[in-house]
Amino acid sequence: SDVYKRQIYYSGDTERTRRLIKATNDLFRAVGIDFAGDAQYPLPTALAGFYFLQLFLDSVFTTVVVVIAVLGVLLVYMLLVTNSEERQFEVAMIRAQGMSKSQLLHLLVTQALAFVIPGIAIAISLLLLVNAIVEIVLEGFTKAPPRTDRIPAAAIIVAVLLGVLVPIIANWSPVRAAMSTSLRDALDIYRQKNNETIVTTVRLAELGLEPWQVFLGVFLTIAGFVIFYIIPLSFIFNNLYLFFLMMDLILLTMLFGLCLLSYSLQGILQKGVLWLMLWGPEVKLSTMIKRNFQSHKDRNALTFMMFNISVSAVVFAGVLFTLLAGSLSETVRIFNGADLTVQSINIDIPLEKDRLESILGEAKAEGTIEAFAFSTFALRDYTQSYRNEQVSGVTTIQARSLRVTGVDERLQDAIFPSFVLYAETDNEYSYTQNQGKDDIVRSMYASIPFINNTVIDEDVPIVFTGYPENVTIPDVSAKYQSVIPCIMSITAKDILGVGAGSSGILSYQYRLSSQRIINSLYLFQPRALATKVAGFAGISSLPFGFTSGNLLAPIPLVERILRSNDTDFKYAASSETTLTPGFDWDVKYQKVYIKLRPGLSTTERSDFANYIPVSYTHLRAHETPEHLVCRLLLEKKKKKY
């Protein structure tokens, strides 16, 4: 039902994955485990792209709640201190009339609760009202029914606990001060606490540690525990929310530390402001104002601290949201790669290259777009592929999985040049400049490296192959006359021991109609090692993301790998060496990157996005501001027979 589906999509990432796995298991138990198909969930896949945004927002708002709680404690404390000082004579008279300290304590606590309970009720009511308004506004974007009456229980519990505990904690010190004051001092209306001198005798054996020493020791212990335990555990268990939260709390602690340092400058600053404000005859008031400062020293200090924390919190939140907006913008550009990206979400429904070439060619001639380029599905996605592609160094044993993808020679014409960063290039080749960058992709098409120009004699006998006598032996001689140029992540240098200009081994396994699995080997040579390539987010400088990256190669060479049986059994073709039924003989295109003409308005961008072939249905366009990216996920309309 729609309600059940919404419950799945509204749940957290872990819970959503668990429910989808359960739903998939139930589905295949119903249709049969041997059903020739798989389950796909495009919407959860799209939601996964917002995971990091959710993490950032969760950590930012958690930090904001902490700041608000601290400010609330200080504010309530100041109000209660002021109230207790103003009512000190009244409290003393009540005590003089016979009220015990316990009864007076109950009276003060009841007074605090008289503020707390209505405050919590009003806050929860406002929370429900604001949540309802936000839900109704979001309905216009999501088209999902608003959930005006549903607020997570954790939010209400945290709000109630803060509303109850903050006044109690803040009320503790004023109540204690009012209860500990003697009747004589409390009834003296001319008494000023700041003018008193108090002498306390403490035995050396009972002196112990100073409060600041205890605080420093506890703080350093907590800081060490967070740095050496919590942060490493967040990496081990891939809990990015915990990692971002710890980073925000560390930054927040630094801000509080700066506030405490500025606290020591309060006296100097207030004297400086007073000196600037008093002129001429008003200078005579300086002594009186300074005495007033001294009388309200503690209260002024709290006010100054609240001001510092408020300003630092505003700056902190502003910086975080600016960072979030910038990182989100850059992440979208990196993932999409170009102004407009058209993507097929299923290899069985690839992009129609010829049709798109025609449409985009006309748009380019009209001046709507400047360039476009295609990329293919990875080799592992094709029918005959047996397992993921593997790459390794020539001298290394361990192989790593990597997505081998074909790219158009016009790729760097279409993608964002600011996100094409090559850390190392092969100096044996010369490169043309494209938007201020070396055009490595066009170089891979223009110059394919050859081992030598000698044609290997087909009649040279092979002494030992390892294959049984009754099995057709693959012919490997032709493949080793040329090397596949490619672009890889810079981390290949450390993981595989392969640098720009050196060679590695690409292993591709495919099925034959006889159910044999052939492991076909190719030599590859990185033309460049990159830290970033727009449109291929897996290519980065992070070692742990290497296996989720891509090996970018010219499309004809990727097609040659896809047709490995034609090369392996070139001179021994037979029925047993054909590919498994339903194989893919030609490459299939997954994405086309489109660079729009600068200066197009949002309306023109949207009109062009909607102009993309009407032969595609289930069109979903994600419109963003002009400097960001539009992305279309397309599915081809199935023909009815």
Side-chain angles (χ1 to χ4, degrees), residues 368 596-597 599-609:
T368 305
L596 301 176
R597 176 178 57 82
L600 287 181
S601 65
T602 303
T603 302
E604 291 174 324
R605 292 165 63 92
S606 299
D607 290 342
F608 177 73

Side-chain angles (χ1 to χ4, degrees), residues 379 391 404-406 426 429 443-445 447-451 478-488 498-499 501-508 520-528 551-562 564:
L379 287 177
V391 293
V404 177
T405 306
D426 188 353
Y429 300 89
S443 168
M444 293 193 301
Y445 275 85
S447 304
I448 298 178
F450 287 87
I451 293 179
K479 291 190 296 185
Y480 289 99
Q481 294 186 74
S482 64
V483 181
I484 298 174
C486 64
I487 298 173
M488 301 176 67
V498 176
S502 61
S503 298
I505 298 175
L506 168 64
S507 171
Y508 173 62
S520 192
L521 301 178
Y522 294 85
L523 289 175
F524 69 86
Q525 184 182 85
R527 188 65 55 89
L551 184 150
L552 307 182
I555 292 177
L557 297 183
V558 173
E559 190 170 50
R560 176 181 170 186
I561 300 174
L562 187 63
S564 290

Side-chain angles (χ1 to χ4, degrees), residues 267-279 282-283 285-291 293:
I268 300 175
L269 290 177
Q270 69 182 13
K271 289 179 181 179
V273 172
L274 179 63
W275 180 78
L276 292 173
M277 294 180 63
L278 297 180
W279 293 85
E282 297 175 350
V283 176
L285 300 175
S286 176
T287 303
M288 184 183 67
I289 296 176
K290 288 180 180 179
R291 286 183 176 275
F293 282 162

Side-chain angles (χ1 to χ4, degrees), residues 14-27 29 41:
T14 303
E15 178 64 18
R16 182 169 60 247
T17 302
R18 187 189 67 80
R19 291 191 178 190
L20 289 176
I21 291 174
K22 183 179 182 301
T24 305
N25 293 340
D26 295 340
L27 173 64
R29 288 192 188 99
Y41 301 99

Side-chain angles (χ1 to χ4, degrees), residues 113-152:
L113 292 177
F115 292 100
V116 170
I117 295 176
I120 292 177
I122 295 173
I124 296 298
S125 301
L126 291 175
L127 175 64
L128 293 171
L129 177 62
V130 172
N131 179 71
I133 295 174
V134 172
E135 288 282 350
I136 293 173
V137 171
L138 290 178
E139 180 190 9
F141 297 95
T142 63
K143 306 303 179 184
R147 301 182 298 169
T148 57
D149 57 342
R150 183 184 180 278
I151 294 179

Side-chain angles (χ1 to χ4, degrees), residues 57-58 103 158 164 272 289 291 330 371 385 441 498 562 592 631:
L57 289 177
D58 287 345
Q103 292 175 329
V158 170
V164 173
I289 296 176
R291 286 183 176 275
E330 301 303 302
S385 300
V441 178
V498 176
L562 187 63
V592 56
R631 183 177 183 180

